[in-house]
Amino acid sequence: MVITTYSKEEILEILSAIADPEIPVVSIQEIGMLRDVVVSEDGYEVLLTPTYTGCPAMGIIEADIKAILQEKGIASVKVTLIYSPAWSTDWMSDEAKEKMRKYGIAPPAHSSCGSIFKTEQEVVCPHCSSQDTEMISRFGATACKALYKCNSCKEPFEYFKCH
Amino acid sequence: MAKQDALFKYTLRLGDNALILSQRLSEWCSYAPLIEEDLALTNLSLDMIGRAQALLKYAGEIEGMGKTEDTLAFRRSERQYYNNLLVEQPNGDFAFTMARQLFISAFELYFYSEMEHSKDKTFAAIAAKTLKEVKYHLEHAKDWVIRMGDGTGESHYRIQHAVNELWMYTGELFEMDDVDKDLIEQGIATDLDAIRPLWNKYIGDVLETAALIVPENGYMQTGSRKGIHTEHLGHLLCEMQYLQRAYPDAKW
Ligand SMILES: [Zn+2]
């Protein structure tokens, strides 16, 4: 049996290919959920942080991580959920926000959330860039998104809430 | 009281509040007055089940008897639950559900704002995460209470009725016993006396904006600190625990 060992950086590189199951254009690394990898004699421990405490995608992501590493012959993998520091939309890279916008989801408007009310007022339409938009529902198809409509191009769209 | 014992009971209380309200809100799934609200209520429920999972898992670790979050959720009977009476109250109509949510979310906002600075690192981490979610829950409940209070004669009547009916369950939110005192001294727990005036002020302002009357502080229901509940919790647990009771250790 050939045992290949990987460095932390190599494992992170492999895992950066995993997409967010709910927004497949961004990876779990770009969105900030993939926090770290701890390499030890027992194997590899992947540290993940949930976007929302009840995020139902966590189970899928854990399975994806194990599957992609299994393909490389890495079986001793443990996935641990960490809550501190709490995930924030501030961790999303500008590239990830741009990918999200092109996909039709308005990215979180501000780098820091302060007042929910204020951030909700200033959502820009991902289709036509109009600022004349209106919230339809604060809670969308997933916990992280709200529903909006654009008064200029009349298209409905989702907004990734500031968190 | 041994430190571990106090911490275990305290963690159960917080976890049970999240779990029981989550179960209540999930009952709205496919029954909400409009589709957006169906999504909203189940989203709230999902946030709470996530919080309950984290807290009950931690409770199991503190107790050290090998219990998981699932064992604690599905194998305890009514008298072993420590959630506040407010969260186990039936959904009633939509006004009732929103009044209950306003009361509990405002409480949680101030509670977890304090707990974010707890010396217990797990509590501080869960609190920081929870706070981000509770802000949205509270905005949502507040919007609806104002809209109903300041709406039609019918909606005004219903929301005022809900506020009146639920008021007697709000006093218990701020009750403290030896568990609280022990843990406050150690810088772990939130001092409920300190957040009570903040809650009163917030709720007073919202109800005033909604053109609603703040009820008088009359008789307040109590019991959950000792595991004594209203008749509604037993029925809720029957449904929630049915599968694990009928088929112990059943797995998906
Ligand atoms: Zn537009």
Side-chain angles (χ1 to χ4, degrees):
Chain A
M1 188 178 159
V2 182
I3 297 170
T4 325
T5 52
Y6 292 84
S7 69
K8 166 181 154 173
E9 288 71 25
E10 285 167 328
I11 297 284
L12 282 169
E13 176 64 28
I14 296 168
L15 297 179
S16 70
I18 298 175
D20 180 322
E22 281 161 358
I23 311 162
V25 288
V26 296
S27 72
I28 56 168
Q29 188 187 41
E30 286 172 311
I31 207 160
M33 290 167 88
L34 178 60
R35 300 314 295 161
D36 206 356
V37 169
V38 181
V39 184
S40 72
E41 285 176 2
D42 301 329
Y44 303 90
E45 185 182 16
V46 179
L47 303 182
L48 271 187
T49 194
T51 50
Y52 282 69
T53 47
C55 180
M58 297 314 290
I60 301 168
I61 294 170
E62 184 174 343
D64 285 348
I65 288 172
K66 288 186 171 162
I68 202 167
L69 293 176
Q70 185 93 53
E71 277 174 29
K72 306 269 175 191
I74 308 166
S76 47
V77 178
K78 190 181 160 202
V79 177
T80 305
L81 277 191
I82 54 166
Y83 291 93
S84 182
W87 178 82
S88 162
T89 40
D90 292 355
W91 295 350
M92 270 184 220
S93 63
D94 287 343
E95 297 82 61
K97 287 184 184 175
E98 184 54 22
K99 283 184 196 171
M100 210 179 267
R101 195 186 62 74
K102 284 190 178 144
Y103 186 62
I105 299 170
H110 289 253
S111 59
S112 181
C113 303
S115 149
I116 292 171
F117 184 71
K118 191 163 172 285
T119 59
E120 281 177 344
Q121 298 287 303
E122 299 166 356
V123 175
V124 176
C125 172
H127 306 296
C128 74
S129 305
S130 166
Q131 294 189 341
D132 184 13
T133 61
E134 200 179 315
M135 185 167 69
I136 299 170
S137 174
R138 187 172 278 127
F139 299 90
T142 64
C144 51
K145 286 174 281 179
L147 298 176
Y148 275 73
K149 69 173 178 187
C150 174
N151 293 325
S152 297
C153 71
K154 312 291 181 198
E155 286 290 328
F157 64 92
E158 289 185 304
Y159 164 60
F160 201 106
K161 289 186 276 190
C162 198
H163 224 57
Chain B
M1 191 180 302
K3 184 195 166 189
Q4 289 310 87
D5 197 29
L7 193 60
F8 175 61
K9 283 194 179 138
Y10 195 77
T11 313
L12 278 185
R13 269 186 212 167
L14 306 185
D16 289 350
N17 261 11
L19 178 67
I20 300 303
L21 189 53
S22 169
Q23 177 71 14
R24 273 287 178 239
L25 289 172
S26 75
E27 292 169 9
W28 274 107
C29 187
S30 82
Y31 288 102
L34 43 147
I35 186 110
E36 287 81 7
E37 207 43 45
D38 214 290
L39 289 173
L41 293 170
T42 42
N43 262 300
L44 261 62
S45 177
L46 194 60
D47 285 346
M48 289 170 205
I49 198 81
R51 193 199 318 162
Q53 212 172 6
L55 285 163
L56 293 181
K57 180 171 184 278
Y58 184 45
E61 288 163 13
I62 296 164
E63 194 199 27
M65 309 275 279
K67 287 181 197 150
T68 67
E69 59 272 35
D70 286 342
T71 332
L72 286 168
F74 296 123
R75 303 284 178 85
R76 276 182 301 149
S77 62
E78 194 186 343
R79 289 295 302 266
Q80 294 164 313
Y81 266 83
Y82 298 101
N83 59 278
N84 288 120
L85 303 178
L86 178 65
V87 302
E88 73 200 32
Q89 296 311 303
N91 288 333
D93 59 14
F94 185 65
F96 211 84
T97 293
M98 280 303 143
R100 184 183 64 196
Q101 199 60 48
L102 177 76
F103 292 160
I104 193 75
S105 292
F107 173 78
E108 287 178 342
L109 180 81
Y110 295 116
F111 182 88
Y112 284 107
S113 296
E114 284 298 312
M115 181 148 276
E116 203 180 0
H117 310 292
S118 171
K119 282 186 181 157
D120 183 290
K121 286 205 174 67
T122 308
F123 277 166
I126 294 172
K129 192 92 198 123
T130 295
L131 261 183
K132 288 168 178 257
E133 297 170 354
V134 165
K135 280 183 188 169
Y136 281 95
H137 304 172
L138 183 58
E139 270 312 287
H140 191 68
K142 185 188 83 180
D143 283 357
W144 272 114
V145 168
I146 292 172
R147 195 165 155 187
M148 285 188 274
D150 202 15
T152 65
E154 175 77 11
S155 71
H156 178 86
Y157 164 76
R158 286 193 183 226
I159 190 70
Q160 181 70 63
H161 178 68
V163 165
N164 295 349
E165 288 288 303
L166 287 169
W167 196 254
M168 64 175 159
Y169 298 106
T170 58
E172 198 204 34
L173 295 172
F174 302 98
E175 274 180 18
M176 291 195 282
D177 61 12
D178 289 344
V179 168
D180 297 77
K181 282 172 201 143
D182 262 29
L183 297 176
I184 289 170
E185 269 176 31
Q186 298 169 52
I188 292 173
T190 298
D191 184 351
L192 301 178
D193 284 342
I195 64 171
R196 188 168 201 163
L198 301 172
W199 186 89
N200 281 333
K201 169 84 171 66
Y202 182 90
I203 295 296
D205 288 350
V206 172
L207 295 185
E208 195 191 330
T209 311
L212 295 168
I213 297 161
V214 181
E216 297 280 327
N217 279 328
Y219 175 75
M220 289 288 180
Q221 295 282 356
T222 178
S224 76
R225 292 283 190 262
K226 296 186 177 70
I228 297 167
H229 292 273
T230 59
E231 66 174 291
H232 309 295
L233 182 67
H235 296 283
L236 180 149
L237 293 180
C238 273
E239 192 171 316
M240 188 181 84
Q241 298 181 334
Y242 169 77
L243 197 120
Q244 282 296 323
R245 296 286 193 187
Y247 306 96
D249 299 323
K251 292 222 167 17
W252 287 108

